[in-house]
């Protein structure tokens, strides 16, 4: 078997369960040494239990791989630094950072509390920024020391909720759209050091999604979280050096490359809002509508 990540060192955040667990297992199968980060929180982000992350590390070692556990909270700036340092101090380097940790606090906007907003923005958005920030500083230092680009990888986790828009998730969707924007900007900044930055938008049957509706056994099989991991492992490999700044849907029977915002119909600036109104209306009618949650245009 070709091993795509032989000798590389990877961190996967939120790797104790669901999608992140599969990333960690497949990265290890492809030769990466893995730092299994997880707070061991409930879906809403409360609580902490390291034993689930330990189980994943044990599973990797039982399969002759190498793994260690880290229990830092990714939304804590110093905790995120500790996570990056632990990988470097244990394995001598860091090549791959998969930002996957996440929580949910769904609520309609009219009822959403400040705490529900802050918690979701913290884990997803700051929890992507903080480890990426420390990893980026490390890779910049490495590329200067070597006087050559590194082969660093950041793989973030967005969601159809953010890139397409899902009712009841203004907090989560805003964070996930923010992660997509973060991905594009960080890719532009870090390319010069040899670091690629991409995001996946997973679809998988996990504890986060199992209560959304009833799923048949066939659907559960198609939506098994293991179907998301191959995209992450390929993006993490040396082979994917030329793919950056992309958001890629993976899981539930497909892999799809998403297209971002682009300018649609345009007119010259007008200073009279009364005259502008009909023109604006005309342009709104001309451009493609926002997509629905399936990623295609609404009727
Ligand atoms: N399952 C899906 O269909 C789906 C769809 C879109 C996006 N996602 C995203 O994929 C990622 C994984 O989701 P999942 O479905 O596997 O959920 P999950 O609940 O099974 O796993 C998330 C993990 O993140 C950990 N975590 C939470 N807060 C943390 C923190 N502050 N620091 C470290 N770890 C923390 C949890 O303990 C948990 O193990 C999330 O970012 C989620 O938003 C999932």
């Amino acid at each position: 078997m070709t091993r795509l990540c032989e000798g590389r060192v990877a961190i996967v955040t939120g790797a104790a369960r669901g999608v992140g667990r599969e990333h960690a297992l497949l990265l290890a199968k492809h030769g990466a040494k893995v730092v299994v980060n997880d707070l061991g929180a409930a879906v809403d982000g409360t609580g902490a239990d390291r034993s689930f992350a330990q189980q994943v590390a044990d599973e990797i070692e039982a399969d002759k791989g190498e793994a260690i556990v880290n229990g830092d909270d990714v939304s804590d700036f110093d905790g995120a630094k500790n996570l990056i340092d632990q990988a470097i101090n244990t394995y001598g380097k860091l090549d791959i950072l998969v930002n996957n940790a996440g929580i949910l606090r769904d609520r309609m906007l009219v009822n959403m509390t400040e705490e529900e907003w802050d918690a979701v923005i913290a884990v997803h958005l700051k929890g992507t920024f903080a480890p990426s920030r420390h990893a980026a500083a490390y890779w910049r230092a490495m590329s200067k020391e070597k006087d050559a680009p590194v082969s660093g990888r950041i793989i973030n986790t967005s969601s159809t909720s953010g890139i397409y828009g899902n009712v009841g998730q203004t907090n989560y969707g805003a964070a996930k759209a923010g992660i997509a924007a973060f991905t594009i900007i960080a890719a532009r900044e870090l390319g010069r050091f040899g670091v690629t930055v991409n995001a996946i938008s997973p679809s998988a049957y996990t504890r986060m999604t199992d209560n959304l509706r009833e799923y048949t056994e066939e659907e559960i099989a198609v939506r098994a979280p293991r179907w998301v991991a191959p995209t992450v492992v390929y993006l993490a490999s040396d082979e994917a050096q030329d793919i950056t700044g992309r958001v890629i849907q993976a899981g539930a029977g497909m892999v799809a490359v998403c297209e971002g915002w682009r300018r649609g119909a345009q007119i010259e600036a007008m200073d009279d809002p009364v005259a502008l109104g009909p023109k604006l209306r005309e342009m709104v009618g001309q451009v493609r509508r926002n997509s629905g949650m399936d990623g295609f245009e609404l009727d």
Side-chain angles (χ1 to χ4, degrees), residues 13-21 23 37-45 47 49 52 70-76 99-104 122-124 127 157-161 172 176 179 200-209 212 215 223 225 228:
T13 73
R17 293 186 183 82
V19 173
R21 175 176 175 276
H23 297 338
N37 159 270
D38 206 292
L39 201 54
V43 178
D44 69 359
D49 182 350
F52 295 100
N70 170 282
D72 282 305
D73 176 348
V74 290
S75 67
D76 182 290
N99 289 311
N100 162 82
I103 65 167
L104 280 184
V123 174
H124 290 280
T157 309
S158 186
S159 169
T160 53
S161 177
Y172 179 78
K176 291 304 201 185
I179 289 170
I200 54 151
S201 171
S203 296
Y205 182 85
T206 67
R207 67 173 188 168
M208 201 181 254
T209 54
L212 291 181
Y215 293 93
R223 300 177 74 88
V228 183

Side-chain angles (χ1 to χ4, degrees), residues 108-189:
M108 285 298 190
L109 176 59
V110 289
N111 291 322
M112 189 170 292
T113 65
E114 184 180 4
E115 212 262 323
E116 286 164 345
W117 175 269
D118 286 346
V120 168
I121 297 294
V123 174
H124 290 280
L125 208 43
K126 191 169 175 195
T128 297
F129 156 70
S132 301
R133 153 71 178 78
H134 297 302
Y138 163 73
W139 283 320
R140 182 184 59 181
M142 282 301 102
S143 77
K144 282 197 172 150
E145 197 181 300
K146 289 184 357 184
D147 201 18
V150 295
S151 177
R153 298 284 182 270
I154 296 177
I155 299 153
N156 296 322
T157 309
S158 186
S159 169
T160 53
S161 177
I163 55 178
Y164 303 140
N166 196 25
V167 170
Q169 296 191 314
T170 50
N171 52 358
Y172 179 78
K176 291 304 201 185
I179 289 170
F182 177 95
T183 298
I184 292 165
I185 298 165
R188 288 179 185 162
E189 291 188 11

